[in-house]
Amino acid sequence: MEPMIFMGGVIVVAGGIWTVVDLLQDAGLLTRSAEQQVKRRVTQACSGFRSRDISSSTACRAGLLP
């Protein structure tokens, strides 16, 4: 019973988010160009985190070095 309630909650939340995004697009507050700019900024931020070098102490604590 709990998995069904959980999945129902996920569906309701996703539907709510989808509805809010549609309303913002209809009102003209969320445009495609603004959406693309946000995606570009998020991609740049995430790639910046991935390209950082791991220091030896961090790698040691994470168990990556012997």
Side-chain angles (χ1 to χ4, degrees), residues 25-47:
Q25 285 176 344
D26 290 344
L29 299 174
L30 185 64
T31 60
R32 283 284 181 208
S33 63
E35 187 178 333
Q36 293 297 328
Q37 288 176 351
V38 169
K39 285 181 184 178
R40 201 173 304 122
R41 275 190 246 129
V42 169
T43 303
Q44 288 173 348
C46 289
S47 66

Side-chain angles (χ1 to χ4, degrees), residues 3-64:
M4 193 163 61
I5 293 171
F6 176 73
M7 287 304 295
V10 169
I11 290 169
V12 168
V13 169
I17 292 171
W18 193 348
T19 302
V20 169
V21 169
D22 280 343
L23 289 172
L24 290 174
Q25 285 176 344
D26 290 344
L29 299 174
L30 185 64
T31 60
R32 283 284 181 208
S33 63
E35 187 178 333
Q36 293 297 328
Q37 288 176 351
V38 169
K39 285 181 184 178
R40 201 173 304 122
R41 275 190 246 129
V42 169
T43 303
Q44 288 173 348
C46 289
S47 66
F49 285 126
R50 279 184 276 162
S51 66
R52 286 185 169 179
D53 291 334
I54 297 177
S55 68
S56 60
S57 62
T58 304
C60 216
R61 280 181 280 170
L64 300 175

